[in-house]
Amino acid sequence: MKITSRSLFLYIGIFFAISIIAFTVILKLTVNEQTWQQSFRFNFIYLIYLTVSIILWWIFDGLSLSALVNGNADLKINLYQAMKMRLKCIFVGIAVPVLGSTAFQVYLLKREKVSLGESTAITSIRSILPVLLFVIFVPIFMLFGFQNGFEVFFANLLRMVSLPIVLSLFFFTLAVILPEWIKRMFCLLMRAIQKIKLFKMKSIDKAVLWFNTEIDRLHTSLSVYRRHGKRSLALSLFWILMMFLMEFSVAILILSGFGIKLSILRAVGIQFLLKSLLYFAPPPGGSGIYEFSYMGFFTLYAPKYLVGIAVLMWRMLAYYFSVIIGGFLVIKENGIDQIGKI
């Protein structure tokens, strides 16, 4: 499918349309007379704290990327470049839902004189490292009983979370350790699809060739990182963790601004469980899923009449703000028509 500026704006429109529908439903379920009275009691000093958290979020996200790039002695990228790349990719992930942000980050890295193979490996590693954090921390939060008092909520959540996490790690591990085996599995899958005549033979062959090429590049580059780049991997993992903490602080600060006291550790743990689900939310931008998921989170702490407003504030500050900045950077530096060509 050819990507045009018209289709890009269509995807962006779909994203915002789904979000508006979700907010309309949430506000209709939660807003009453008390909502408007209590909204004006928000302590606006917390807007300063929220601004700092969001800026730190962007910085840590940029550092997580630059750590991987600079782990190679022959490559170098500064923090400002890395931050801009990450913000641009947030916007492109909406404008081109299927693999948009991934392909665009590969392109941006390649434009900085990083080879295609290394760009692909860095992008793949940056995508999978958060999953490693989920695998490490989700069992810890469960072990300490963070689910106590919310058994039904967490039982349903963990059932949804466990499968994508396990599958992602399983296939990523195969790509690193047994690349030939996973290539054979993919080829068999494509041949099975071919038999039920969902796609043309030419499309199947192209898909197999593309997959085999990417697995070979990923395996080669990851092997190099595994031997010589352990420090950069650990550093990137640390910055991703710090980025998550800043992301989680947005919801906590919104609740605090309304004068709601809560256990910060538990609130972080709950959001970590949510993040492990939302990380795999389908495009564009997990629209609708994010809103209703955080409606569940805010319901745990805030009175019903504040839940809708809290979700709206959270989504605007934690996501829409980054989308707008990323979109401005893409249009200014790359041009909206260039995305389709890339």
Side-chain angles (χ1 to χ4, degrees):
M1 181 183 70
K2 184 179 180 181
I3 299 172
T4 63
S5 58
R6 183 178 178 181
S7 62
L8 292 175
F9 284 113
L10 175 63
Y11 288 133
I12 295 169
I14 291 172
F15 166 75
F16 283 110
I18 296 173
S19 296
I20 290 169
I21 292 170
F23 280 127
T24 300
V25 173
I26 292 171
L27 291 173
K28 190 173 181 60
L29 291 172
T30 59
V31 169
N32 59 31
E33 293 180 2
Q34 285 182 287
T35 301
W36 311 117
Q37 297 171 1
Q38 296 297 322
S39 295
F40 291 106
R41 295 186 180 180
F42 184 81
N43 187 344
F44 288 97
I45 192 69
Y46 279 90
L47 289 178
I48 298 175
Y49 303 149
L50 284 162
T51 302
V52 172
S53 289
I54 292 167
I55 292 173
L56 287 174
W57 179 356
W58 294 346
I59 290 173
F60 294 148
D61 196 5
L63 285 169
S64 70
L65 178 61
S66 63
L68 290 173
V69 176
N70 298 337
N72 187 322
D74 299 326
L75 306 175
K76 193 61 66 175
I77 186 174
N78 63 46
L79 174 59
Y80 181 62
Q81 289 173 303
M83 285 174 60
K84 288 199 299 182
M85 283 185 189
R86 296 298 298 165
L87 285 168
K88 288 179 182 180
C89 288
I90 291 173
F91 171 76
V92 174
I94 294 169
V96 189
V98 181
L99 296 179
S101 61
T102 303
F104 196 64
Q105 183 166 293
V106 170
Y107 161 76
L108 292 174
L109 287 170
K110 191 171 181 296
R111 205 172 62 168
E112 297 298 326
K113 311 304 180 187
V114 181
S115 71
L116 180 60
E118 289 170 324
S119 299
T120 303
I122 289 168
T123 300
S124 300
I125 294 169
R126 177 59 188 77
S127 299
I128 204 69
L129 285 180
V131 181
L132 296 180
L133 287 176
F134 301 149
V135 172
I136 293 168
F137 284 100
V138 166
I140 292 175
F141 289 130
M142 294 301 297
L143 181 64
F144 281 92
F146 278 40
Q147 73 280 16
N148 292 344
F150 310 114
E151 289 85 354
V152 175
F153 174 78
F154 276 103
N156 293 332
L157 177 64
L158 286 176
R159 274 196 291 268
M160 290 185 288
V161 167
S162 58
L163 181 60
I165 289 178
V166 170
L167 287 177
S168 295
L169 280 179
F170 174 70
F171 286 112
F172 185 77
T173 303
L174 286 180
V176 176
I177 300 174
L178 299 169
E180 295 303 321
W181 191 80
I182 196 171
K183 285 194 291 186
R184 284 198 296 271
M185 284 182 60
F186 184 78
C187 184
L188 290 173
L189 175 63
M190 289 295 101
R191 299 308 169 200
I193 292 174
Q194 179 190 346
K195 288 181 180 178
I196 57 178
K197 298 181 179 179
L198 285 177
F199 298 97
K200 295 180 181 178
M201 180 66 182
K202 188 176 180 181
S203 299
I204 297 292
D205 290 339
K206 282 184 177 180
V208 171
L209 177 61
W210 170 82
F211 186 81
N212 289 347
T213 302
E214 293 305 314
I215 289 296
D216 287 338
R217 286 173 177 163
L218 179 62
H219 176 71
T220 301
S221 299
L222 285 177
S223 297
V224 173
Y225 266 98
R226 193 172 53 191
R227 291 194 299 269
H228 307 295
K230 291 187 178 68
R231 183 178 178 277
S232 63
L233 286 174
L235 193 58
S236 181
L237 197 65
F238 170 76
W239 291 126
I240 292 172
L241 177 59
M242 296 302 295
M243 180 194 76
F244 280 166
L245 293 178
M246 291 302 102
E247 179 182 348
F248 301 155
S249 72
V250 173
I252 295 170
L253 288 170
I254 289 172
L255 290 170
S256 299
F258 283 115
I260 298 170
K261 298 184 182 298
L262 68 163
S263 167
I264 294 177
L265 185 59
R266 172 167 281 202
V268 168
I270 293 170
Q271 288 185 85
F272 216 103
L273 291 169
L274 274 176
K275 185 66 178 180
S276 60
L277 165 65
L278 296 174
Y279 190 74
F280 299 96
S287 190
I289 298 174
Y290 268 84
E291 287 85 350
F292 284 108
S293 295
Y294 263 82
M295 178 184 176
F297 170 77
F298 285 116
T299 299
L300 299 176
Y301 296 102
K304 181 180 177 181
Y305 59 82
L306 284 179
V307 169
I309 295 297
V311 174
L312 181 60
M313 289 179 64
W314 174 82
R315 191 64 162 148
M316 289 181 67
L317 293 168
Y319 197 71
Y320 296 152
F321 192 32
S322 298
V323 169
I324 292 169
I325 298 296
F328 172 78
L329 291 171
V330 168
I331 293 170
K332 180 183 176 184
E333 299 183 10
N334 301 97
I336 198 74
D337 291 324
Q338 188 67 17
I339 301 174
K341 295 177 183 177
I342 296 166

